Amino acid sequence: MNTSNLKTIRDMIRWAISSFNESGLYYGHGTENAADEAFTLVLHSLHLPHDINPSFFEARITDEEREKLQKLIVQRITDRVPVPYLIHEAWFAQLPFYVDERVLIPRSPIAELIEQEFQPWIQLEKIEKILDLCTGSGCIAIACAKTFPYSQVDASDISAEALTVAKMNTLRHNVESQVHLYESDLFAALTDKKYDIIVSNPPYVDAEDMASLPKEYAHEPTLALAAGHDGLDFAIQILLKAPKFLTPHGILIVEVGNSEQALTEKFPQIPFTWLEFQRGGGGVFLLTAKQVNDLQPLLKSDA
């Protein structure tokens, strides 16, 4: 493929957009269209900010830069690798995070909730301990630590590889003394702990959706996606075990994505509060500690 006639940043972005559109890529890992995908890939690879002055688009690129960009653009198309894995960066709650194929690419609408300090669901002065269950890259835990600088945040994950990435991100954001990482199957390693907020983005993709996911998702760890036949394997376990770990004024927030319907159909009596987000997204419920305690007989009878 001869790209020698592509001289400027604008040329590379235009070529990337055209190539992405022609290839029918799937966008769901931080961008929604070919243009945003191309801007992110090209500008980050050239170590340029996203809010660059438009006049810089006419700047000429070097042969080395052209070769690097061509390789990445072709890799995005041929191997269907999501852009955050190609550039090893994703943004969450207005913070950058290192990512690779050991962790999911951050994209949860919970970011918006953290930015709003979980209002109106909590009293700020009572937030001392927070748990991020199934932390992956550590993005939720670290965003919580930045939002609640006087709190202590525990972050657990069953994957030692994911925790290696999370550790990198705690160091990157200078919160290693505030965010404590645990290798744990859900709550297993967190004995005798109580939290004011438990927030989790666990695996929630059901078997039918797993079988039909776009190729881009094949690069993400299956361990962090698949959640059994109905997508509820982990959500139900969290609901069952959370009472032991919540303070009396605590709240539980769990993302179940497209498995929202399956959860409400399975437990129509449970008064889930389904949160709404201005920037889109859904499938996130909230329950108070009292509600989680009160629904235990129902959950245990079904388990």
Side-chain angles (χ1 to χ4, degrees):
M1 182 181 299
N2 184 7
T3 59
S4 59
N5 60 329
L6 303 176
K7 305 294 187 182
T8 67
I9 296 173
R10 186 183 302 279
D11 290 339
M12 291 304 304
I13 291 174
R14 199 282 308 158
W15 179 65
I17 294 172
S18 297
S19 300
F20 292 165
N21 280 329
E22 181 182 13
S23 302
L25 301 182
Y26 178 83
Y27 308 104
H29 294 92
T31 63
E32 298 179 350
N33 54 66
D36 289 345
E37 193 96 334
F39 272 90
T40 299
L41 179 57
V42 172
L43 292 179
H44 186 278
S45 299
L46 294 175
H47 306 287
L48 294 171
H50 287 195
D51 58 353
I52 184 176
N53 188 305
S55 63
F56 278 89
F57 290 137
E58 306 307 324
R60 295 173 66 90
I61 56 176
T62 67
D63 291 341
E64 183 180 355
E65 289 171 336
R66 182 186 303 106
E67 181 179 349
K68 175 184 177 182
L69 288 168
Q70 176 182 330
K71 181 179 179 181
L72 289 171
I73 291 166
V74 170
Q75 190 175 2
R76 174 68 182 97
I77 294 167
T78 304
D79 298 333
R80 292 299 200 262
V81 181
V83 163
Y85 285 155
L86 293 174
I87 64 176
H88 295 301
E89 184 169 276
W91 285 76
F92 180 85
Q94 302 182 55
L95 297 169
F97 292 90
Y98 173 87
V99 294
D100 60 32
E101 295 187 15
R102 291 174 289 182
V103 297
L104 285 185
I105 295 168
R107 52 186 177 271
S108 171
I110 290 173
E112 187 175 318
L113 192 62
I114 299 170
E115 291 168 11
Q116 295 171 351
E117 299 179 325
F118 295 99
Q119 294 299 313
W121 309 105
I122 56 97
Q123 294 178 264
L124 291 175
E125 66 274 11
K126 291 187 176 181
I127 305 306
E128 297 178 355
K129 293 281 290 181
I130 300 171
L131 171 62
D132 172 20
L133 209 57
C134 307
T135 193
S137 64
C139 61
I140 289 177
I142 293 167
C144 285
K146 291 291 189 178
T147 302
F148 300 93
Y150 298 107
S151 69
Q152 290 296 306
V153 183
D154 288 348
S156 75
D157 203 289
I158 196 172
S159 167
E161 290 189 333
L163 291 172
T164 299
V165 175
K167 180 65 174 180
M168 294 168 62
N169 283 316
T170 63
L171 294 170
R172 177 176 186 171
H173 290 286
N174 299 310
V175 293
E176 64 272 19
S177 63
Q178 186 185 1
V179 176
H180 313 283
L181 303 176
Y182 293 86
E183 185 175 345
S184 179
D185 183 357
L186 296 180
F187 297 99
L190 303 171
T191 55
D192 301 322
K193 288 179 174 286
K194 296 280 187 179
Y195 300 97
D196 306 301
I197 299 173
I198 297 176
V199 57
S200 182
N201 179 16
Y204 58 70
V205 182
D206 64 36
E208 182 178 354
D209 283 349
M210 281 298 298
S212 60
L213 286 174
K215 292 180 180 179
E216 280 79 357
Y217 288 92
H219 295 275
E220 295 192 289
T222 300
L223 183 67
L225 291 170
H229 174 73
D230 58 5
L232 301 179
D233 284 5
F234 297 94
I236 291 174
Q237 287 302 307
I238 292 170
L239 286 167
L240 280 166
K241 297 173 181 178
K244 178 182 175 182
F245 298 91
L246 279 168
T247 59
H249 59 268
I251 58 172
L252 172 68
I253 298 165
V254 181
E255 181 172 350
V256 295
N258 290 342
S259 296
E260 173 182 342
Q261 182 176 348
L263 186 61
T264 54
E265 289 178 353
K266 191 176 186 70
F267 300 109
Q269 307 96 320
I270 294 180
F272 294 108
T273 296
W274 293 100
L275 302 176
E276 297 182 359
F277 301 94
Q278 293 181 354
R279 298 200 295 262
V284 179
F285 71 77
L286 181 147
L287 292 168
T288 65
K290 182 180 186 306
Q291 288 173 322
V292 176
N293 276 293
D294 289 348
L295 59 83
Q296 290 307 301
L298 175 63
L299 290 165
K300 290 174 181 176
S301 67
D302 186 85

